[in-house]
Amino acid sequence: MTNDDKSAQRMTLGDVEIIRVVEWHAPFLPPSAFFAEAGGEVWKDNEDWLAPDHWEPDGGLLVTALQSWVLRSGGRTVLVDTGAGDGRERPGMGPFHQARSEFLDLLARAGVHPQDVDVVINTHLHVDHVGWNTLDEDGQWVPAFPNAQYLIPAADDFHYGPDNAYGNGAQEVDRLIYEDSVAPIHQAGQAVLWDGHHRIDEHLTLESAPGHTPGSSVLRLASGGDRAVFVGDLLHSPVQILDPCLNSNACLAPRQAAASRRRILGRAADERELLVPAHFGGAGAVEVRRKGAGFALGPWAAAGPANPAPRTPRSGDRPS
């Protein structure tokens, strides 16, 4: 895995400060390994804007980012997804197996320390969204963010947990992921399960968008006149904006995933929500427009370097 040399950037929407923390951004897989339904022409036909941030024409590989988002909202610090973790046993998961990560250092460089995080959001419980939920402390997995409430979709917790025998036993790695990255959160009393909708504060609301996993979710931001939606794994590539029926091979319920994708894209276009994904490279966030019965990409959002310098305190900020 390759770290992006611009590992943290920042933008502000309304009263919410947003910091993008990039663990890595690199060529990853051939499209056929991730989008079996997509013909090769979609990449060539859109090469002029997909390359180099989303597609590597010479190698024929998707370019993928693994990134998290930190939101400063209502005097609290909210972390959206926690990457792949460090030193985890992930047999059969390619680069995630025993991967090494500097995620906590990247957060620190952006001015975010584990004890300062008030809320952790897992948009769903896949390997690359929960890995830094915990860390190894003297041979025991413990919460990496000791003061945080972890918001976990109830449907995913059921599906990937012991109640549904770790994803119906489809792959052994699901049990390992749950045991080292989710179960310790329950044991520490920091897990909050939710379903449907969950309001975090006056600016932030979680909403179920199932299909990729049973509990896949998006985070909606509304502050002042600004709107955004953090879509998790609803989309892995911007070509899915052009074709919302295009599912990744990891979507457990493809028809449901496509319906959720179309619904979220339609609302983003109609309400001028900035679409903030988990895995797009480049600028990392984009506007969506309706185009006939489908959608088109609007302008990409620019973000500047994250500044770890002290910020002006707001009411409700916890003293350091």
Side-chain angles (χ1 to χ4, degrees), residues 16-313:
V16 181
E17 179 189 26
I18 301 167
I19 302 172
R20 177 192 186 199
V21 178
V22 182
E23 269 194 280
W24 55 271
H25 175 208
F28 187 45
L29 290 170
S32 59
F34 208 74
F35 295 108
E37 301 170 352
E41 66 277 0
V42 68
W43 313 101
K44 288 294 183 182
D45 290 349
N46 294 285
E47 181 180 329
D48 59 330
W49 63 268
L50 282 173
D53 292 327
H54 313 284
W55 164 246
E56 184 189 60
D58 292 342
L61 298 176
L62 296 173
V63 178
T64 302
L66 180 58
Q67 57 203 1
S68 301
W69 300 88
V70 178
L71 284 64
R72 310 271 199 188
S73 176
R76 296 196 296 173
T77 298
V78 179
L79 174 61
V80 184
D81 290 325
T82 65
D86 183 75
R88 308 294 169 121
E89 293 297 314
R90 302 290 186 251
M93 298 296 286
F96 299 122
H97 181 55
Q98 297 179 347
R100 292 299 170 187
S101 168
E102 298 179 350
F103 182 71
L104 295 184
D105 290 337
L106 295 173
L107 284 176
R109 288 176 216 164
V112 181
H113 302 282
Q115 65 271 21
D116 300 327
V117 175
D118 301 288
V119 178
V120 172
I121 295 170
N122 294 141
T123 58
H124 62 296
L125 298 187
H126 273 169
V127 58
D128 51 335
H129 293 260
V130 301
W132 276 104
N133 276 5
T134 59
L135 50 78
D136 186 343
E137 186 175 275
D138 298 326
Q140 297 290 324
W141 295 109
V142 300
F145 305 96
N147 300 318
Q149 177 187 75
Y150 286 70
L151 299 179
I152 298 171
D156 267 17
D157 192 76
F158 174 80
H159 177 74
Y160 289 109
D163 289 341
N164 205 39
Y166 308 105
N168 289 314
Q171 49 184 5
E172 173 65 8
V173 73
D174 287 332
R175 179 184 63 80
L176 299 176
I177 293 166
Y178 192 89
E179 288 183 347
D180 66 36
S181 297
V182 182
I185 306 304
H186 285 281
Q187 293 160 6
Q190 292 177 233
V192 175
L193 302 183
W194 67 276
D195 194 18
H197 291 78
H198 180 87
R199 177 166 288 279
I200 297 170
D201 62 24
E202 61 178 320
H203 305 303
L204 304 176
T205 306
L206 282 165
E207 177 184 322
S208 292
H212 182 66
T213 67
S216 285
S217 62
V218 300
L219 174 67
R220 301 186 70 184
L221 182 157
S223 182
D226 291 333
R227 302 287 183 271
V229 56
F230 296 76
V231 296
D233 276 8
L234 197 71
L235 300 102
H236 286 83
S237 167
V239 299
Q240 292 174 285
I241 296 174
L242 307 181
D243 182 2
C245 292
L246 181 60
N247 291 299
S248 78
N249 296 352
C251 290
L252 294 182
R255 186 172 297 180
Q256 187 181 40
S260 290
R261 193 175 301 115
R262 181 170 287 280
R263 174 173 59 83
I264 297 302
L265 288 172
R267 189 183 64 204
D270 294 342
E271 299 187 14
R272 302 301 296 270
E273 289 180 318
L274 184 66
L275 190 145
V276 188
H279 296 300
F280 293 8
V286 66
E287 296 180 24
V288 179
R289 302 283 187 265
R290 286 195 180 271
K291 183 178 180 181
F295 303 98
L297 281 74
W300 290 87
N307 182 3
R311 60 195 174 90
T312 302

